[in-house]
Amino acid sequence: MSDVLDASPYDALLLLSFGGPEGPDDVVPFLENVTRGRGIPKERLKEVGQHYFQFGGVSPINDQNRALLDALREDFAEHGLDLPVYWGNRNWAPYLTDTLRDMVRDGRRRILVLATSAYASYSGCRQYRENLADALATLEKEGLELPKVDKLRHYFNHPGFVEPMVDGVIRSLDGLPEDVRDGAHIAFCTHSIPTAAADTSGPVEAHGDGGAYVAQHLDVARLIADAVRERTGVDHPWQLVYQSRSGAPHIPWLEPDICDHLEERKAAGVPAVVMAPIGFVSDHMEVLYDLDTEATAKAEELGLPVRRSATVGDDPRFAAAVRELVVERAAAESGRDVTRCALGALGPSHDLCPVGCCPARAPRPAAAGADSPYA
């Protein structure tokens, strides 16, 4: 890759995230956005919203995205990458459609998208692409000139994503009492999804039990566990576990749940557990509630010492990884030589999501993929 940081043909980066409420009055409207089309009564949404109300109705995700924006802009400026960075959300302000409209009016015509989800799955990739297609369709109806939009590849195994999590696990182990530290188990945590969605995640040829979603998480967990062993001299047992299940109880979801797992580890005589939320880019509500509140309370009930390691957030190494991914994709689009950085056994992910990758629950247009109607 050239020493000159060249983002052409791209003229902007869009940070695309989930969004979250920023006050008590936002909670139910936010949940209405998240669940639109499912016919969930407002009273039920108020019950679901109790997780948010416990924290003043504020999800930390928006502030964490603001911090990541600052980190990206600072890193780009320091390294001479002339690329403006915008921010849009799926479910709360600033909304994706509004941000894309602003970008078009600012003259942006080739846009790269960084989604705050590192892995392949319907909810972590294709649904973002569907939202992009919906936003582009709205702009088209408004008579605006549509930009070409591409999405950065999955970055689950980029060193700038993995290495901060290694440090986080080691800090958490160091925070345990010395007499239980070496025997501590590592629970690598991610969002549970329906097994049917997991089994069809990733390109068709990669489908199997758990699909790319499970395979990618397992690869990251092994990378972190191996790095922890190399740095500490201790081989900690570990397992991939799940959290934040929702939906009808009769539909199978990925297991074991983190709270069930803590009970099993306690019964097996494990002296302590580090919970490592490798499936999340930042410490948003599902980490704050499901791990820091619910799972931690379960561990206290069991008398099991636990620590929760940090997510990547606005770590400078992650900002640097995004810069590298931008330059990598720009080089590929321009036909220049490119070095794709990836750790582990799976190698770098595809630039363009192929047809049949992480299929939709119902057929819907999706941008920034091989099946995009906005090529």
Side-chain angles (χ1 to χ4, degrees):
M1 192 176 295
S2 170
D3 291 333
V4 177
L5 296 187
D6 184 3
S8 62
Y10 298 105
D11 55 20
L13 176 69
L14 169 62
L15 175 65
L16 177 55
S17 194
F18 193 81
E22 300 197 78
D25 293 341
D26 297 344
V27 172
V28 171
F30 163 74
L31 292 173
E32 287 175 333
N33 288 339
V34 173
T35 62
R36 181 162 284 115
R38 302 183 200 173
I40 299 176
K42 183 171 287 190
E43 291 306 311
R44 173 58 182 154
L45 294 179
K46 290 179 180 177
E47 294 175 17
V48 174
Q50 291 306 313
H51 294 179
Y52 292 93
F53 292 128
Q54 286 186 35
F55 298 93
V58 178
S59 168
I61 191 170
N62 278 0
D63 275 346
Q64 290 168 4
N65 279 324
R66 293 182 182 102
L68 178 56
L69 280 172
D70 289 343
L72 292 172
R73 289 165 178 159
E74 181 178 350
D75 179 271
F76 288 8
E78 286 180 355
H79 291 86
L81 182 62
D82 184 15
L83 193 69
V85 186
Y86 294 74
W87 169 36
N89 289 324
R90 287 169 48 182
N91 298 299
W92 202 248
Y95 288 103
L96 168 60
T97 301
D98 296 335
T99 299
L100 270 182
R101 185 184 296 111
D102 289 342
M103 297 177 80
V104 169
R105 288 173 176 169
D106 287 346
R108 312 303 176 191
R109 295 294 177 263
R110 289 295 303 272
I111 297 170
L112 262 177
V113 175
L114 167 68
T116 54
S117 176
Y119 301 86
S121 70
Y122 172 76
S123 58
C125 182
R126 186 177 177 91
Q127 192 169 18
Y128 281 101
R129 294 176 48 226
E130 290 176 353
N131 296 144
L132 283 166
D134 291 343
L136 290 169
T138 298
L139 300 190
E140 188 173 36
K141 289 177 183 177
E142 295 173 0
L144 295 175
E145 181 179 352
L146 296 188
K148 186 177 187 307
V149 178
D150 291 324
K151 179 178 174 290
L152 288 173
R153 66 176 172 91
H154 302 303
Y155 46 85
F156 63 93
N157 57 0
H158 194 287
F161 185 68
V162 174
E163 289 168 1
M165 293 190 291
V166 173
D167 289 348
V169 170
I170 290 174
R171 284 194 299 269
S172 294
L173 287 167
D174 288 344
L176 286 168
E178 188 174 358
D179 61 332
V180 299
R181 187 178 303 150
D182 286 353
H185 170 91
I186 306 173
F188 291 108
C189 307
T190 191
H191 204 300
S192 184
I193 61 175
T195 56
D199 290 345
T200 57
S201 60
V204 172
E205 61 272 15
H207 290 170
D209 289 346
Y213 185 75
V214 171
Q216 290 170 359
H217 281 87
L218 286 172
D219 204 40
V220 172
R222 290 188 193 99
L223 284 167
I224 297 172
D226 288 348
V228 169
R229 182 182 65 251
E230 290 171 6
R231 287 174 53 179
T232 66
V234 179
D235 190 6
H236 291 273
W238 61 270
Q239 186 171 339
L240 179 63
V241 302
Y242 302 92
Q243 63 178 85
S244 312
R245 179 193 165 128
S246 60
H250 68 279
I251 298 175
W253 284 54
L254 293 174
E255 296 178 336
D257 175 77
I258 177 60
C259 289
D260 295 338
H261 183 67
L262 292 175
E263 290 184 343
E264 292 167 359
R265 293 302 85 204
K266 176 65 176 180
V270 167
V273 173
V274 167
M275 301 182 293
I278 63 172
F280 306 93
V281 172
S282 63
D283 290 3
H284 54 60
M285 183 57 70
E286 287 171 322
V287 176
L288 196 64
Y289 181 80
D290 295 328
L291 295 184
D292 292 356
T293 304
E294 191 172 49
T296 299
K298 170 58 71 173
E300 290 175 355
E301 172 190 319
L302 295 169
L304 179 66
V306 294
R307 296 292 184 273
R308 197 269 290 173
S309 65
T311 52
V312 171
D314 61 344
D315 189 288
R317 289 168 292 182
F318 181 50
V322 175
R323 168 175 36 87
E324 292 173 8
L325 290 167
V326 166
V327 175
E328 169 199 298
R329 182 60 181 274
E333 286 293 305
S334 301
R336 303 190 296 269
D337 290 338
V338 59
T339 300
R340 300 179 183 274
C341 196
L343 300 173
L346 299 181
S349 187
H350 48 261
D351 280 340
L352 196 66
C353 291
V355 175
C357 189
C358 303
R361 299 162 186 167
R364 284 182 59 190
D371 54 355
S372 171
Y374 299 103

